[in-house]
Amino acid sequence: MPRAIAARAPLSRDVVLTAAVALADERGLEGVSMRHLADALGVVPMALYKHVGDKEDLLDGMVEHLLTGLGVGGTTGHQADRTADHTSKPLPWREAVTGPIHGVRALHRSHPWLRRVLETRQLRTPAVLAHMERLTSAFLAAGFTPDLTHHVMHLLGNRIWGFSPELFNETGGPPTRRSTAPTPDPTDYPGILAVAADSRARRPTATSCDEDGEFDFALATILDAAERLQRSGWSSPR
């Protein structure tokens, strides 16, 4: 954020959070500090503490700022299931669930640091709760019991925030750490080789897995299973 523009705006929590998001986009999460943020805003660091309590409050606020700006947290309950023309016709429950999830996922493309922040948050802010409420209400409105809704939300896990909990994240390059472990012999892993060969045949120019495709596949599989459980009248053991 240009200092000349930022300095003309009266300092407020929203101004501070907007500048913090811009700073993270430019320098990465490591570049976000009270000193750097104060420099970007043309104020002394102590001036920031009138609007954010500490670094954790700043990170919580950055998440809140993005979710609110996206509109994810602005509508809850059955209002989330209305069509864009504001008629009373409800959307299909799958769209009511996947729409907000894909909305949050889209944020990750513009703000690659967002996942790291979301993974470490402990405070459920109003926009965070509103997003969870919107999904919960979509399941309940579709006839899911509170019991099944509870379990499905747990099953979705981090996917409600637009990312999958991968065991090994692909870096796109060779490992940077030094290891004394023996080098694996590829012939010991024929199953992995078969899957890799099939994937290369299907996507010969790809250099990594199709993250969006894998995310959509997992989300659809979970919702398919949830729908089958709902139709069968499933309930958890007492």
Side-chain angles (χ1 to χ4, degrees), residues 213-234:
E214 297 300 338
F215 182 87
D216 289 341
F217 172 76
L219 182 59
T221 301
I222 290 171
L223 296 182
D224 285 344
E227 186 173 14
R228 287 195 297 271
L229 291 173
Q230 189 264 338
R231 289 178 176 178
S232 70
W234 181 91

Side-chain angles (χ1 to χ4, degrees), residues 5-85:
I5 296 176
R8 288 198 297 266
L11 205 60
S12 66
R13 182 172 173 87
D14 186 63
V15 168
V16 170
L17 297 179
T18 299
V21 168
L23 194 61
D25 290 343
E26 179 184 349
R27 304 186 184 181
L29 206 55
E30 294 77 7
V32 178
S33 68
M34 291 300 190
R35 180 174 63 83
H36 291 153
L37 184 55
D39 288 344
L41 288 166
V43 300
V44 297
M46 285 303 297
L48 301 178
Y49 290 99
K50 296 179 181 179
H51 307 285
V52 290
D54 54 21
K55 181 66 175 292
E56 291 302 307
D57 184 38
L58 177 65
L59 295 175
D60 285 335
M62 291 165 68
V63 171
E64 184 87 354
H65 180 77
L66 289 178
L67 292 181
T68 301
L70 183 67
V72 168
T75 309
T76 61
H78 295 291
Q79 293 178 349
D81 298 333
R82 304 302 183 187
T83 55
D85 61 0

Side-chain angles (χ1 to χ4, degrees), residues 38-199:
D39 288 344
L41 288 166
V43 300
V44 297
M46 285 303 297
L48 301 178
Y49 290 99
K50 296 179 181 179
H51 307 285
V52 290
D54 54 21
K55 181 66 175 292
E56 291 302 307
D57 184 38
L58 177 65
L59 295 175
D60 285 335
M62 291 165 68
V63 171
E64 184 87 354
H65 180 77
L66 289 178
L67 292 181
T68 301
L70 183 67
V72 168
T75 309
T76 61
H78 295 291
Q79 293 178 349
D81 298 333
R82 304 302 183 187
T83 55
D85 61 0
H86 305 293
T87 65
S88 59
K89 181 182 178 182
L91 292 171
W93 73 268
R94 294 279 288 250
E95 188 175 346
V97 170
T98 58
I101 291 176
H102 282 117
V104 179
R105 183 165 175 78
L107 286 176
H108 292 282
R109 298 187 182 93
S110 302
H111 312 283
W113 50 268
L114 180 59
R115 173 172 176 167
R116 284 179 55 194
V117 178
L118 285 170
E119 288 178 317
T120 60
R121 294 307 85 204
Q122 297 180 346
L123 181 66
R124 294 180 176 90
T125 63
V128 167
L129 288 172
H131 177 60
M132 297 172 67
E133 169 66 18
R134 188 174 187 177
L135 300 180
T136 299
S137 293
F139 284 118
L140 294 175
F144 284 60
T145 65
D147 180 31
L148 180 54
T149 298
H150 176 195
H151 288 277
V152 171
M153 289 292 286
H154 275 290
L155 182 61
L156 286 168
N158 286 339
R159 289 185 180 88
I160 73 170
W161 300 113
F163 60 90
S164 299
E166 303 291 355
L167 181 59
F168 296 107
N169 290 323
E170 298 182 14
T171 60
T176 56
R177 56 169 290 188
R178 181 181 178 184
S179 174
T180 58
T183 302
D185 182 348
T187 61
D188 290 337
Y189 312 98
I192 294 176
L193 288 177
V195 170
D198 179 80
S199 179

